Amino acid sequence: MVVTTTISDPPELLRSTFASRYARASLPRYKMQEQPIPKEAACQIIKDELMLDGNPRLNLASFVTTWMEPECDHLIMSSLNKNYVDMDEYPVTTELQNRCVNMIGRLFHAPVGQDEKAIGVSTVGSSEAIMLAGLAFKRKWQAKRKAENKPYDKPNIVTGANVQVCWEKFARYFEVELKEVKLTEGYYIMDPVKAVELVDENTICVAAILGSTLTGEFEDVKLLNELIAKKNKEIGWDTPIHVDAASGGFIAPFLYPDLQWDFRLPLVKSINVSGHKYGLVYAGVGWVVWRGKEELPEDLIFHINYLGSDQPTFTLNFSKGSSQIIAQYYQFIRLGFEVVVCDKAGCWWQRLWLVAGCGSCGRYLY
Ligand SMILES: Cc1ncc(COP(=O)(O)O)c(C=O)c1O
């Protein structure tokens, strides 16, 4: 006997998305149509249009994560509706962000004692992180100049001409002159000697890049630290360094643990890193950490108490999702610090912290 089913309910058939009038009539492009449409039709119309986008898994454009394990996708989906800023409602999410800040601070050798807390925040990406770090430098410099009765209206920042556009945004939005070290043929990162020549009494910081956007190269932060320290000593300044480790912050500690680029260098006062690049989380998370709380002027921190207790915030946006923070914590506890070498006979490839399996033979290690 052949068992078949038929659609017995005609209205169901009429609601079939592709056969419906909703799929045939065009929607106005730039204004809302008068009437609602069924959810199936709305979803299908958008899905169809999105087919013309590229495939994220084939996108290497901005070094941003496009695949996470299904377990983490599940965590992300189950926290999509949590507004991170409601910290009293979601104290565990706040705790997870604090753990991430502490893990990153320690990864970058912030001088924090065993029972002390590292200073930092999660952001939407490195750009927001850089805005916050730049603001802290500007405010500190202004406060010092005011106290010395000196002009404080012409702050500048020294970078290589290879900086990512977010530094230009910072300079323009927050009225800081950007003094760029020119690149020369065959040398596409900031030359520390030339950078130090550009430093003057109005320099709020020198920004070095660990993982230049153009080539991936690391700038020589150690040499920069030495040269600025010398100039600071000679003239009596205290010009600090920020490291833009958007890409390199989650590479260098694992692959080049002896490379000194972070808080081991005394003039490095703040570091940003993109969680959504080699922190292996989908787009929407970055981090900024400071050497200590003295580097973060208190008047930049807002204290909100909408929902009960005092919650300090230092971010540009107020509301934001929690999923990316939870996903970052997942990657930290999931992968840990270890750099494992593939153990498959004959495979020469080293498994990086960054991938869940061997990059050469595909062996899945955990
Ligand atoms: C060196 C550097 N800094 C900052 C950024 C901005 O990062 P985000 O996209 O996380 O805002 C990038 C992005 O490519 C970068 O390469």
Side-chain angles (χ1 to χ4, degrees):
M1 190 178 76
V2 180
V3 180
T4 53
T5 53
T6 53
I7 299 169
S8 56
D9 179 9
E12 268 303 313
L13 194 63
L14 289 178
R15 265 189 261 125
S16 163
T17 305
F18 285 112
S20 75
R21 65 190 165 89
Y22 305 107
R24 276 180 281 123
S26 310
L27 292 170
R29 178 175 283 205
Y30 295 131
K31 67 179 177 100
M32 277 186 227
Q33 82 277 8
E34 290 302 319
Q35 301 296 325
I37 60 174
K39 58 186 189 304
E40 297 82 0
C43 179
Q44 193 62 52
I45 288 166
I46 296 171
K47 259 193 189 165
D48 288 353
E49 198 156 4
L50 285 174
M51 283 173 71
L52 296 176
D53 264 352
N55 177 350
R57 293 284 301 284
L58 301 177
N59 174 15
L60 305 178
S62 44
F63 338 125
V64 168
T65 302
T66 55
W67 184 87
M68 297 189 75
E69 289 172 326
E71 289 74 8
C72 193
D73 286 350
H74 169 74
L75 283 171
I76 288 173
M77 289 311 289
S78 53
S79 49
L80 266 185
N81 56 356
K82 280 189 189 174
N83 184 358
Y84 175 74
V85 88
D86 299 338
M87 296 178 203
D88 281 315
E89 296 283 349
Y90 309 123
V92 179
T93 305
T94 309
E95 164 65 16
L96 298 190
Q97 105 108 28
N98 294 346
R99 286 185 201 167
C100 289
V101 166
N102 277 279
M103 288 178 184
I104 296 168
R106 285 175 170 82
L107 188 66
F108 296 169
H109 299 96
V112 279
Q114 217 184 339
D115 300 322
E116 257 182 297
K117 289 203 175 122
I119 305 294
V121 288
S122 65
T123 57
V124 177
S126 276
S127 304
E128 186 191 3
I130 283 166
M131 306 288 155
L132 299 177
L135 262 179
F137 282 121
K138 183 178 172 188
R139 206 46 81 85
K140 264 203 96 177
W141 173 83
Q142 283 177 325
K144 184 164 178 278
R145 298 281 292 180
K146 274 185 207 170
E148 292 168 353
N149 243 335
K150 291 184 177 156
Y152 54 91
D153 59 339
K154 290 196 168 42
N156 70 59
I157 193 162
V158 174
T159 68
N162 53 319
V163 277
Q164 212 261 358
V165 65
C166 63
W167 285 97
E168 289 162 38
K169 280 192 188 178
F170 166 73
R172 206 179 296 172
Y173 293 172
F174 294 99
E175 298 180 332
V176 174
E177 184 197 350
L178 191 64
K179 292 173 82 175
E180 290 182 341
V181 177
K182 302 252 170 317
L183 308 182
T184 50
E185 199 166 339
Y187 193 86
Y188 303 113
I189 51 175
M190 180 177 73
D191 178 342
V193 176
K194 291 187 187 153
V196 175
E197 281 165 13
L198 291 183
V199 169
D200 62 27
E201 61 177 352
N202 293 323
T203 302
I204 63 171
C205 84
V206 179
I209 313 177
L210 203 78
S212 173
T213 317
L214 308 180
T215 59
E217 273 173 277
F218 290 179
E219 291 177 349
D220 191 341
V221 193
K222 188 162 183 280
L223 176 60
L224 184 69
N225 183 84
E226 278 164 26
L227 296 175
I228 300 182
K230 190 162 168 275
K231 186 160 180 172
N232 281 351
K233 198 164 168 218
E234 278 164 16
I235 311 186
W237 293 339
D238 54 4
T239 311
I241 297 174
H242 174 89
V243 183
D244 175 357
S247 291
F250 285 132
I251 303 260
F254 303 98
L255 295 191
Y256 314 108
D258 298 329
L259 182 78
Q260 294 203 13
W261 62 275
D262 54 15
F263 294 119
R264 283 168 288 184
L265 303 172
L267 292 179
V268 174
K269 305 296 182 187
S270 49
I271 300 174
N272 68 278
V273 61
S274 293
H276 52 215
K277 292 193 171 80
Y278 299 98
L280 295 183
V281 178
Y282 298 131
V285 64
W287 302 91
V288 54
V289 281
W290 284 270
R291 181 177 200 88
K293 64 173 182 301
E294 61 291 349
E295 304 304 334
L296 187 54
E298 182 58 35
D299 65 343
L300 289 177
I301 301 170
F302 283 79
H303 294 266
I304 50 159
N305 59 0
Y306 280 9
L307 293 167
S309 65
D310 173 63
Q311 294 293 355
T313 76
F314 180 36
T315 50
L316 295 184
N317 214 70
F318 185 65
S319 299
K320 71 170 178 181
S322 297
S323 302
Q324 261 65 4
I325 292 167
I326 292 168
Q328 184 76 81
Y329 184 67
Y330 171 89
Q331 292 294 39
F332 286 167
I333 63 166
R334 163 90 172 109
L335 297 169
F337 186 84
E338 199 181 18
V339 177
V340 184
V341 178
C342 182
D343 60 357
K344 187 173 173 191
C347 180
W348 52 271
W349 195 260
Q350 195 181 36
R351 173 192 175 265
L352 311 183
W353 176 84
L354 314 169
V355 288
C358 175
S360 174
C361 68
R363 182 168 153 69
Y364 195 77
L365 291 157
Y366 290 102

